[in-house]
């Protein structure tokens, strides 16, 4: 009995000692940062307040300062925290500088850098962003380093492939410069060809309005952009708002240069909506020009155009539903984005409540809600047509009025 008691005392005493030792080890063992998932025993070196430089063939590829960091035993991966004054190089000149981020990871053998912003809900005191200055004048062109060409980048994640000469940027991206900015969730940048593919929640803000699209491609050498898929442009000029929709848009960073629009272009203002095959928007001239099978509908003030009006204009059968409104067809139509006035040219036909009129051109006064038809003007009366000097079509009063000497009747 005494022998069994002694054995139990030794057994429980041993267990207690092991628990105490485990607790002491846990308290004195070094605790790594949350994102350092590797065990501390895998560290080969630790450092503080150090500047890290990555080179290949003696040429700089990247560099930045870090408050803390350590290198793994494989000697190939370095973990860094509180990054500052970071730079990426292309052909020995910086293409990105002033990089700040909560943390980064460097893969030394492959010359790959991952830069991380904090998770959105990690710490409310932080902006949850990495930030840097990028050359947006000619992306990845080290020969262009004018201060005004550098844009401010913020994002959640950035991965720089130095050997492949490309960069991936992800998560709540914003690239801002002067009065313009690009927002998206993903950008793939080819530093060699100077082309950036922008996708996911794409939004471009310019001095004249906002453009949204499914995807966008930026050509750095030309300072040109292509927007594709569900392109929507909201233009604000004084008190006039113009909405343009198209399949694609081709334009330059310089807003003074024209923007080409393709793929069932649709334009709308308060009391009118027009569609055409193609279009050109000029911020400089405050004008949008539609071409190719142009159709437009005008309504009087107080009447709201329904969202499906554009589809009705493009559908021959559905156009009959618009007979009660003022409808115009022409070869081309120019709409002023500032005044709202419009001018149609070529094979102009205007219909309103069963009435019809033809002319070479027509001018719409947005303030007076009046269409004036000129040039080879004719108006239908019954089954015949009569010529006149001009015809006034009032959208507001829903009337047709011929001016000048009315000539002989004829049939078409």
């Amino acid at each position: 009995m005494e022998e069994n008691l002694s054995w139990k005392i030794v057994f429980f005493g041993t267990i207690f000692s092991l628990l105490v030792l485990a607790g002491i080890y846990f308290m004195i063992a070094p605790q790594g940062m949350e994102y350092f998932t590797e065990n501390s025993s895998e560290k080969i070196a630790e450092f503080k307040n150090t500047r890290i430089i990555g080179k290949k063939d003696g040429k700089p590829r990247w560099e930045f300062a870090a408050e803390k960091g350590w290198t793994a035993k494989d000697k190939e991966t370095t973990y860094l925290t509180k990054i500052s004054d970071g730079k990426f190089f292309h052909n020995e000149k910086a293409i990105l500088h002033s990089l700040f981020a909560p943390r980064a990871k460097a893969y030394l053998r492959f010359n790959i850098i991952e830069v991380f912003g904090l998770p959105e809900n990690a710490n409310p005191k932080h902006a949850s962003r990495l930030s840097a200055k990028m050359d947006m004048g000619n992306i990845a062109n080290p020969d262009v380093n004018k201060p005004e060409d550098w844009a401010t980048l913020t994002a959640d994640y950035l991965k720089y492939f130095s050997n492949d000469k490309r960069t991936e940027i992800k998560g709540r991206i914003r690239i801002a410069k002067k009065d313009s900015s690009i927002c998206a969730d993903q950008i793939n940048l080819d530093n060699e060809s100077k082309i950036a593919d922008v996708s996911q929640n794409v939004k471009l803000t310019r001095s004249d309005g906002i453009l949204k699209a499914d995807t966008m491609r930026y050509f750095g050498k030309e300072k040109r952009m292509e927007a594709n898929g569900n392109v929507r442009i909201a233009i604000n000029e004084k008190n006039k708002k113009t909405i343009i929709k198209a399949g694609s848009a081709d334009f330059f960073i310089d807003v003074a240069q024209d923007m080409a629009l393709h793929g069932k272009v649709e334009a709308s203002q308060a009391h009118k909506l027009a569609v055409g095959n193609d279009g050109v928007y000029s911020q400089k001239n405050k004008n949008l020009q539609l071409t190719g099978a142009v159709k437009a509908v005008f309504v009087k003030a107080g009447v709201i155009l329904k969202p499906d009006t554009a589809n009705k204009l493009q559908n021959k059968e559905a156009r009959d539903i618009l007979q009660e409104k003022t409808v115009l067809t022409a070869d081309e139509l120019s709409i002023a984005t500032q005044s709202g006035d419009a001018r149609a040219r070529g094979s102009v036909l205007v219909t309103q409540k069963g009435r019809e009129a033809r002319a070479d051109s027509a001018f719409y006064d947005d303030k007076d809600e009046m269409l004036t038809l000129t040039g080879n003007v004719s108006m239908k009366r019954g089954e015949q047509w009569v010529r006149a000097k001009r015809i006034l079509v009032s959208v507001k009063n829903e009337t047709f009025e011929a001016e000048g000497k009315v000539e002989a009747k004829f049939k078409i």
Side-chain angles (χ1 to χ4, degrees):
M1 186 73 174
E2 291 180 1
E3 193 173 309
N4 290 337
L5 182 61
S6 299
W7 180 84
K8 290 180 180 179
I9 292 173
V10 171
F11 175 77
F12 287 112
T14 302
I15 295 299
F16 178 76
S17 299
L18 289 173
L19 291 173
V20 171
L21 287 171
I24 294 172
Y25 176 80
F26 177 79
M27 288 186 288
I28 66 174
Q31 303 298 308
M33 292 194 64
E34 184 176 337
Y35 88 99
F36 288 165
T37 56
E38 289 77 359
N39 295 325
S40 59
S41 61
E42 295 180 0
K43 300 178 183 178
I44 194 174
E46 293 185 75
F47 44 83
K48 292 183 179 181
N49 301 320
T50 305
R51 188 158 196 85
I52 315 297
I53 300 175
K55 292 185 178 182
K56 185 176 182 180
D57 301 326
K59 298 177 181 179
R61 293 298 185 93
W62 51 267
E63 66 173 89
F64 33 68
E67 186 175 299
K68 294 179 182 180
W70 57 275
T71 300
K73 275 188 175 182
D74 59 12
K75 299 181 183 178
E76 294 179 359
T77 310
T78 297
Y79 298 81
L80 307 165
T81 60
K82 295 189 178 179
I83 307 304
S84 62
D85 194 24
K87 296 179 182 179
F88 293 159
F89 296 91
H90 179 72
N91 294 337
E92 300 185 66
K93 293 186 179 180
I95 57 171
L96 180 147
H97 69 86
S98 302
L99 172 64
F100 290 84
R103 53 200 178 105
K105 188 187 291 187
Y107 302 90
L108 306 180
R109 181 201 292 185
F110 304 106
N111 263 304
I112 295 175
I113 305 296
E114 283 188 291
V115 186
F116 304 86
L118 290 174
E120 188 172 7
N121 58 354
N123 190 334
K125 294 182 180 179
H126 293 277
S128 299
R129 284 291 197 275
L130 62 87
S131 64
K133 291 287 186 179
M134 288 183 66
D135 179 8
M136 285 295 289
N138 288 330
I139 285 183
N141 186 345
D143 297 323
V144 181
N145 283 314
K146 297 177 182 178
E148 60 268 25
D149 283 333
W150 292 100
T152 300
L153 163 71
T154 56
D156 290 334
Y157 174 82
L158 184 151
K159 192 171 185 178
Y160 178 53
F161 299 83
S162 178
N163 294 345
D164 295 338
K165 301 175 183 178
R166 64 187 180 90
T167 305
E168 292 180 0
I169 310 171
K170 296 181 180 180
R172 298 180 296 165
I173 303 164
R174 186 174 188 269
I175 301 175
K177 175 184 168 186
K178 294 181 179 178
D179 54 0
S180 65
S181 66
I182 297 174
C183 294
D185 283 328
Q186 183 162 340
I187 295 179
N188 294 321
L189 168 63
D190 188 317
N191 299 327
E192 188 69 24
S193 67
K194 305 171 179 66
I195 295 175
D197 288 311
V198 187
S199 60
Q200 299 180 26
N201 300 314
V202 178
K203 182 175 77 170
L204 169 67
T205 301
R206 313 194 324 166
S207 59
D208 57 346
I210 295 174
L211 182 151
K212 294 182 179 181
D214 292 340
T215 63
M216 194 178 296
R217 173 168 280 194
Y218 177 70
F219 299 86
K221 289 181 179 179
E222 307 166 39
K223 297 185 181 180
R224 180 174 66 86
M225 303 195 82
E226 289 180 355
N228 290 286
N230 295 308
V231 176
R232 185 183 187 276
I233 309 161
I235 300 168
N236 293 294
E237 294 284 356
K238 292 187 175 179
N239 296 322
K240 185 67 66 177
K241 185 174 183 178
T242 305
I243 302 296
I244 303 172
K245 296 179 181 179
S248 65
D250 192 336
F251 55 100
F252 292 85
I253 292 297
D254 181 5
V255 296
Q257 298 192 59
D258 291 352
M259 176 187 293
L261 303 157
H262 304 286
K264 293 183 179 179
V265 182
E266 174 188 323
S268 61
Q269 291 178 336
H271 308 303
K272 57 182 166 293
L273 183 147
V275 296
N277 294 337
D278 300 289
V280 175
Y281 164 60
S282 173
Q283 189 274 341
K284 182 179 180 180
N285 297 323
K286 316 293 185 190
N287 180 75
L288 169 66
Q289 182 170 334
L290 299 177
T291 57
V294 175
K295 304 174 185 69
V297 59
F298 302 83
V299 297
K300 56 187 176 181
V303 176
I304 299 175
L305 286 166
K306 295 181 180 180
D308 62 347
T309 302
N311 293 330
K312 291 176 181 177
L313 279 173
Q314 294 172 326
N315 187 315
K316 186 176 181 180
E317 289 73 21
R319 281 205 299 272
D320 295 337
I321 303 173
L322 299 175
Q323 286 184 351
E324 296 301 307
K325 296 180 172 59
T326 304
V327 178
L328 175 148
T329 63
D331 294 334
E332 62 180 62
L333 177 68
S334 296
I335 302 173
T337 57
Q338 194 170 72
S339 66
D341 296 342
R343 186 178 296 277
R345 297 181 180 86
S347 304
V348 175
L349 171 66
V350 177
T351 61
Q352 182 193 78
K353 289 192 171 184
R355 298 182 291 258
E356 296 181 44
R358 299 177 185 272
D360 291 336
S361 63
F363 176 77
Y364 176 73
D365 187 305
D366 189 71
K367 184 178 180 180
D368 295 335
E369 301 180 52
M370 181 73 72
L371 271 166
T372 303
L373 281 66
T374 57
N376 295 312
V377 178
S378 59
M379 183 172 64
K380 191 175 184 180
R381 286 184 176 175
E383 296 299 319
Q384 295 182 316
W385 291 79
V386 295
R387 287 194 172 94
K389 183 178 181 180
R390 65 176 185 171
I391 293 177
L392 303 180
V393 179
S394 174
V395 175
K396 178 170 56 178
N397 299 322
E398 299 179 333
T399 59
F400 266 48
E401 181 182 349
E403 286 192 345
K405 184 179 179 181
V406 177
E407 297 183 1
K409 298 179 181 180
F410 62 96
K411 290 186 178 181
I412 296 179

